[in-house]
Amino acid sequence: MPARVALVCDSSVCLPREIVDEYALHVVPMELSLKGKTYLDGVDISPQEFYSLLAQCEELPTTSAPSPASFIKAYTEGAAHAESVLCLTLLSTVSTTYHVALVAAEMAREALPKAHIEVMDTHTAAGGQGLVVLAAARAAARDATLPQVKAEAQRVMQGVSLIAFLDTLQYLSRGGRIPRIAAWAGSALKLKPMMELSQGEIRPLERPRTRRRATERLLAIVHERVGNGAIRANVMHALALDDAQALKERLLSEFNCVEALVSEFTPVMGTHTGPGLVGIAFHREESP
């Protein structure tokens, strides 16, 4: 008997590989052009290989949304074992991925007339998008209907926040994707600027001078937001695994943390942050 809902997402999502495999998520790779060669994000270049190449680049790599054909392939694979397909993309204000996914869904409906395909803009990215996708995937695994899976995704979307600090703002500034943040950079290139993504808006927070201070401020802000409430968290890092693991342990010991994941930034995300990013995506967990 087919499942009710299959989940599709783009490769900007930050989730551990074992979770992607456990829930049979269909991850559509974004594209990355580096030193004259185009790579499929998370498919034919690893984060370690990417950061090694990035250090040698005079020009910043460029990224682009997945092709419609890549989305159609994922929709087709999802429809082969489920009645409906739900695609959850990163926020549409920084990428055309959502719009490409919509176009691909229209094209796929002609070839898959029996499949019900819907696309949602999660209004978040990276670890925040990962928590939205994970909540939807768990609902789907419970054999929830498409409206129920969408409602679960929406619940997390409305409450999820992502706070991160960078080792430098030079990559985000050079990339020009978020002019407001680039303008804020100023003399912060040697600091550890903190930013937040919440409700589809990216905004600057603070500019600590050291990684230790940035970590303490990150945890303090989370505490201010959640207090003693139960939370689920997704710790993200870009070539900073030790820092991420230490942050996870702090979350588990200092908060009412129902779940704490550690996820690696994919190359397409690392293009805009550079190595050294550490952050937390989190949302309150409702009482049963």
Side-chain angles (χ1 to χ4, degrees):
M1 183 175 179
R4 291 194 179 188
V5 183
L7 272 296
V8 172
C9 57
D10 60 82
S11 67
S12 66
V13 71
C14 286
L15 280 173
R17 183 75 239 178
E18 58 269 23
I19 286 180
V20 172
D21 294 339
E22 178 182 355
Y23 292 99
L25 301 175
H26 300 272
V27 181
V28 181
M30 301 179 80
E31 296 183 0
L32 174 73
S33 295
L34 178 65
K35 300 185 75 171
K37 184 175 180 180
T38 299
Y39 300 88
L40 294 178
D41 184 37
V43 175
D44 49 17
I45 185 169
S46 70
Q48 291 76 16
E49 292 169 334
F50 166 74
Y51 289 115
S52 176
L53 289 172
L54 183 64
Q56 305 168 27
C57 289
E58 294 183 3
E59 294 186 5
L60 199 65
T62 58
T63 60
S64 57
S67 66
S70 295
F71 273 113
I72 291 172
K73 179 176 182 290
Y75 296 156
T76 302
E77 292 172 350
H81 62 79
E83 299 169 359
S84 302
V85 176
L86 177 61
C87 178
L88 298 165
T89 75
L90 83 163
L91 69 167
S92 57
T93 54
V94 299
S95 171
T96 61
T97 300
Y98 169 70
H99 301 288
V100 174
L102 280 176
V103 170
E106 287 298 325
M107 296 169 66
R109 288 184 187 113
E110 298 179 10
L112 303 166
K114 295 184 179 179
H116 188 86
I117 304 170
E118 293 198 25
V119 181
M120 291 178 66
D121 176 351
T122 65
H123 301 292
T124 185
Q129 183 186 0
L131 290 175
V132 173
V133 171
L134 180 56
R138 284 174 170 159
R142 297 191 296 268
D143 205 32
T145 63
L146 179 59
Q148 290 170 332
V149 173
K150 289 175 61 180
E152 185 65 4
Q154 188 69 42
R155 176 185 72 83
V156 176
M157 283 165 53
Q158 291 173 348
V160 72
S161 293
L162 187 162
I163 302 173
F165 66 84
L166 308 182
D167 207 42
T168 172
L169 254 173
Q170 63 173 308
Y171 295 97
L172 200 59
S173 179
R174 287 166 61 195
R177 283 290 184 96
I178 311 170
R180 177 186 175 192
I181 299 296
W184 175 69
S187 61
L189 293 177
K190 294 184 178 180
L191 303 180
K192 310 303 173 191
M194 297 179 65
M195 299 174 297
E196 177 177 14
L197 169 56
S198 181
Q199 298 296 305
E201 181 182 356
I202 301 172
R203 52 185 173 271
L205 289 179
E206 302 178 12
R207 293 182 285 192
R209 292 186 175 276
T210 66
R211 292 180 67 84
R212 185 191 65 78
R213 178 60 179 163
T215 299
E216 295 302 325
R217 283 300 301 142
L218 194 160
L219 288 166
I221 292 169
V222 176
H223 184 73
E224 290 166 7
R225 303 280 180 86
V226 303
N228 294 322
I231 63 168
R232 291 187 185 273
N234 190 356
V235 179
M236 306 154 291
H237 74 94
L239 212 64
L241 178 58
D242 289 346
D243 288 348
Q245 293 283 14
L247 191 53
K248 173 185 174 179
E249 294 306 314
R250 293 281 300 273
L251 283 171
L252 292 173
S253 65
E254 299 176 22
F255 293 82
N256 182 7
C257 196
V258 176
E259 179 176 43
L261 308 174
V262 173
S263 301
E264 191 168 38
F265 255 38
T266 62
V268 76
M269 295 297 292
T271 294
H272 305 292
T273 67
L277 172 142
V278 174
I280 303 172
F282 62 96
H283 67 88
R284 284 181 176 271
E285 185 55 82
E286 295 180 348
S287 300

